[in-house]
């Protein structure tokens, strides 16, 4: 087979080191690829006034598959201050290149697996009835609609008159907000489209089918958010009945689900939700299995473009340490998702097994796994560096 070309987008801060170490792991596992570097992040905002240059979009359009580290975003005023002097008069406004990628390529499906590693000291434990402790084995995959809903960006403060007038035609708006001055009203909408809802539901059911999960849990709030959550629930019921009769459909409310996260997280497998609730549940589950050092994700479009990235950010305060201390496992696991996606499942299984062995043996642990504060001296105190962790995984391969 021809060698694949992967767009490697390191971004900022620790994004670079976790991506470099992950590419080393991929090579050691026998994955042959050419990597082309995609420019993205703060550096390109400062120098060019665009954190997502067109050349990066073109690269991804051409090669379709990308590994992405993390980027730095800063508030509006700082973004302006750091812009190159010759760009300051151009009226440029910073916007997140991740959101930009999502919107440009319609990466509407986000998958975030959260699986307990045996022996990870960061695993969630719970008090048992007999006073002992239980360590629930979590194996959940959250499918989050990635482009719509509350993060769709359709919002106003002091809306234009015609928008305000349109809202006033809704009896509930008129009754509850009709006497609030227009300039004291802020509105953020939650819009779901049938097509995107159908796609995220199908992705969840297909995943359950392929990996033998007995159920799909729709986690929304259809009893209160009757239109959007309600539509999603109705569509899920129909899809399950018509196409996936062997997979159970569970329906949970987001608030109750957060409580069940600590009560019985092991009961949940594939979970599907809209944009904000999916964001919340996936962070909740990530906390149960070790947090940001272990949280991986995939973002996929309908036409085969996919970006694989850890959930964590660029952790700028750690980026300048002489020896990098951050945990590369979230990035390595994201790369395994990429391998699954491009049907290199033998290699991903090999890497996951190596990671599991390293964690279970417990000899190589990054500072987070040792529950240390991330100071530069953690390596001197016995924590593994980013590179040590990658070396340990490679040794197992
Ligand atoms: P962050 O995820 O970068 O860091 C938060 C804390 O989590 C760190 O201080 C560290 O204690 C821990 N952490 C993160 N990654 C880790 C790893 N691999 N191993 C061990 N510990 C790890 O989030 P923060 O500090 O809120 O944001 C920093 C920058 O990253 C900001 O500019 C923010 O906008 C950006 N960001 C980018 C994201 C992305 O690229 N997808 C996502 C989240 C934040
Ligand atoms: Mg989040």
């Amino acid at each position: 087979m021809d060698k694949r070309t992967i767009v490697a987008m390191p971004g900022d801060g620790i994004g670079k080191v976790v991506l470099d170490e992950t590419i080393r792991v991929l090579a050691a596992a026998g994955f042959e690829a050419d990597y082309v570097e995609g420019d993205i992040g703060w550096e390109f905002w400062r120098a060019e006034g665009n954190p997502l240059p067109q050349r990066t979009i073109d690269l991804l359009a051409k090669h379709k598959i990308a590994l992405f580290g993390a980027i730095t975003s800063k508030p509006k005023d700082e973004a302006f201050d750091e812009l190159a002097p010759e760009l300051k008069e151009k009226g440029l406004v910073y916007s997140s290149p991740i959101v930009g990628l999502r919107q440009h390529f319609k990466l509407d499906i986000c998958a975030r697996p959260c699986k307990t590693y045996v022996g990870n000291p960061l695993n969630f434990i719970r008090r048992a009835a007999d006073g002992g402790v239980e360590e629930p084995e979590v194996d959940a995959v959250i499918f989050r609609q990635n482009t719509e809903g509350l993060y769709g960006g359709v919002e106003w403060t002091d809306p234009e008159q015609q928008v305000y007038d349109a809202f006033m035609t809704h009896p509930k708006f008129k009754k509850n907000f009709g006497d609030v001055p227009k300039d004291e009203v802020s509105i953020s909408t939650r819009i779901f489209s049938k097509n995107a809802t159908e796609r995220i539901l199908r992705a969840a059911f297909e995943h359950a089918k392929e990996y033998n999960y007995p159920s799909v849990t729709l986690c929304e709030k259809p009893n209160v958010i009757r239109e959007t959550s309600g539509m999603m629930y109705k569509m899920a019921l129909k899809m399950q009945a018509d196409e996936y009769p062997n997979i159970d459909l569970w329906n949970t409310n987001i608030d109750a689900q957060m409580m069940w996260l600590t009560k019985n997280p092991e009961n949940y497998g594939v979970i599907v939700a809209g944009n904000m609730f999916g964001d919340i549940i996936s962070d909740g589950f990530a906390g149960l299995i070790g947090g940001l050092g272990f949280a991986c994700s995939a973002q996929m479009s309908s036409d085969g473009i996919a970006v694989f990235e850890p959930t964590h950010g660029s952790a700028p305060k750690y980026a300048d340490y002489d020896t990098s201390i951050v945990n590369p496992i979230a990035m390595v696991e994201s790369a395994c998702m990429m391998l699954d996606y491009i049907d290199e499942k033998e290699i991903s299984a090999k890497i996951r097994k190596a990671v599991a062995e390293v964690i279970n043996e417990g000899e190589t642990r990054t500072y987070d796994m040792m529950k240390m504060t991330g100071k530069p001296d953690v390596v001197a105190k016995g924590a593994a560096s980013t590179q040590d962790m990658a070396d340990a995984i490679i040794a197992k391969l």
Side-chain angles (χ1 to χ4, degrees):
M1 209 183 98
D2 283 350
K3 253 199 203 171
R4 289 210 168 248
T5 301
I6 306 288
V7 182
M9 302 188 290
D12 303 304
I14 65 165
K16 294 180 203 281
V17 59
V18 293
L19 184 52
D20 283 351
E21 293 304 321
T22 296
I23 288 174
R24 255 187 348 112
V25 170
L26 286 168
F31 178 60
E32 290 185 14
D34 291 322
Y35 296 91
V36 289
E37 186 157 329
D39 297 337
I40 188 168
W42 199 248
E43 196 186 314
F44 302 97
W45 161 252
R46 292 179 65 172
E48 301 174 25
N50 184 0
L52 179 60
Q54 183 61 39
R55 59 185 179 278
T56 305
I57 290 179
D58 295 342
L59 269 184
L60 191 50
K62 180 166 175 210
H63 300 296
K64 293 190 178 320
I65 305 290
L67 286 172
F68 172 42
I71 51 101
T72 298
S73 285
K74 298 187 190 178
K76 213 167 146 187
D77 292 348
E78 269 177 75
F80 181 77
D81 287 347
E82 293 193 24
L83 207 50
E86 68 273 17
L87 297 172
K88 284 204 163 129
E89 304 306 314
K90 296 201 166 173
L92 299 165
V93 180
Y94 178 83
S95 67
S96 159
I98 304 180
V99 176
L101 271 182
R102 261 180 221 161
Q103 287 172 344
H104 184 87
F105 289 109
K106 298 195 169 56
L107 302 170
D108 65 332
I109 291 178
C110 175
R112 293 181 166 181
C114 296
K115 206 169 165 165
T116 302
Y117 282 102
V118 178
N120 187 351
L122 299 176
N123 288 344
F124 167 68
I125 55 171
R126 169 179 73 199
R127 184 73 65 199
D130 65 5
V133 292
E134 298 167 343
E135 189 174 319
E137 246 182 68
V138 175
D139 177 6
V141 191
I142 294 87
F143 282 84
R144 161 191 174 192
Q145 206 296 327
N146 213 23
T147 47
E148 303 192 332
L150 200 53
Y151 299 172
V154 183
E155 39 186 16
W156 306 265
T157 290
D158 188 8
E160 286 159 40
Q161 192 63 45
Q162 55 178 350
V163 173
Y164 182 80
D165 291 344
F167 273 97
M168 281 295 262
T169 65
H170 194 290
K172 287 249 171 73
F173 186 91
K174 192 158 191 233
K175 177 161 178 273
N176 296 328
F177 303 101
D179 58 356
V180 180
K182 187 169 84 62
D183 63 358
E184 290 180 21
V185 171
S186 286
I187 301 170
S188 299
T189 62
R190 188 177 195 265
I191 304 173
F192 283 28
S193 74
K194 215 168 166 182
N195 179 47
T197 305
E198 157 114 17
R199 276 180 42 76
I200 194 69
L201 288 170
R202 187 170 306 288
F205 276 111
E206 282 297 315
H207 190 85
K209 189 169 145 187
E210 183 174 356
Y211 294 96
N212 295 314
Y213 287 90
S215 64
V216 167
T217 302
L218 173 66
C219 180
E220 279 282 321
K221 187 120 183 167
N223 55 334
V224 176
I225 316 176
R226 291 175 175 276
E227 300 304 329
T228 44
S229 291
M231 176 178 84
M232 195 168 189
Y233 182 43
K234 249 201 268 176
M235 290 175 70
L237 282 171
K238 184 166 171 14
M239 190 178 285
Q240 188 273 341
D242 291 352
E243 298 174 61
Y244 303 96
N246 299 324
I247 300 172
D248 289 339
L249 174 67
W250 295 356
N251 174 37
T252 63
N253 287 336
I254 175 70
D255 45 352
Q257 184 73 64
M258 293 319 284
M259 188 259 299
W260 291 325
L261 270 190
T262 47
K263 189 162 174 270
N264 56 345
E266 65 273 43
N267 291 9
Y268 298 92
V270 174
I271 298 183
V272 60
N275 203 340
M276 185 182 72
F277 294 161
D279 195 15
I280 293 172
I281 317 161
S282 56
D283 275 21
F285 269 101
L288 301 177
I289 58 120
L292 287 174
F294 295 86
C296 55
S297 78
Q299 307 189 70
M300 299 162 279
S301 77
S302 63
D303 48 3
I305 299 202
V307 177
F308 301 86
E309 57 166 318
T311 303
H312 64 71
S314 61
K317 62 183 175 193
Y318 302 160
D320 299 328
Y321 289 7
D322 290 336
T323 302
S324 170
I325 64 163
V326 293
N327 191 344
I329 290 177
M331 182 81 236
V332 170
E333 283 290 332
S334 304
C336 287
M337 295 185 81
M338 173 191 81
L339 293 170
D340 289 344
Y341 185 82
I342 59 178
D343 223 10
E344 294 280 6
K345 291 186 178 137
E346 266 174 47
I347 304 180
S348 61
K350 226 159 77 173
I351 297 175
R352 287 194 180 105
K353 183 163 170 280
V355 170
E357 283 171 12
V358 170
I359 295 172
N360 198 18
E361 278 178 10
E363 276 165 33
T364 307
R365 289 178 170 178
T366 44
Y367 83 95
D368 52 327
M369 298 170 73
M370 299 183 78
K371 307 190 184 188
M372 290 172 159
T373 306
K375 298 265 167 58
D377 63 357
V378 293
V379 175
K381 289 182 174 163
S385 68
T386 311
Q387 196 181 346
D388 292 337
M389 180 53 90
D391 284 342
I393 296 167
I394 289 168
K396 290 291 175 198
L397 289 167

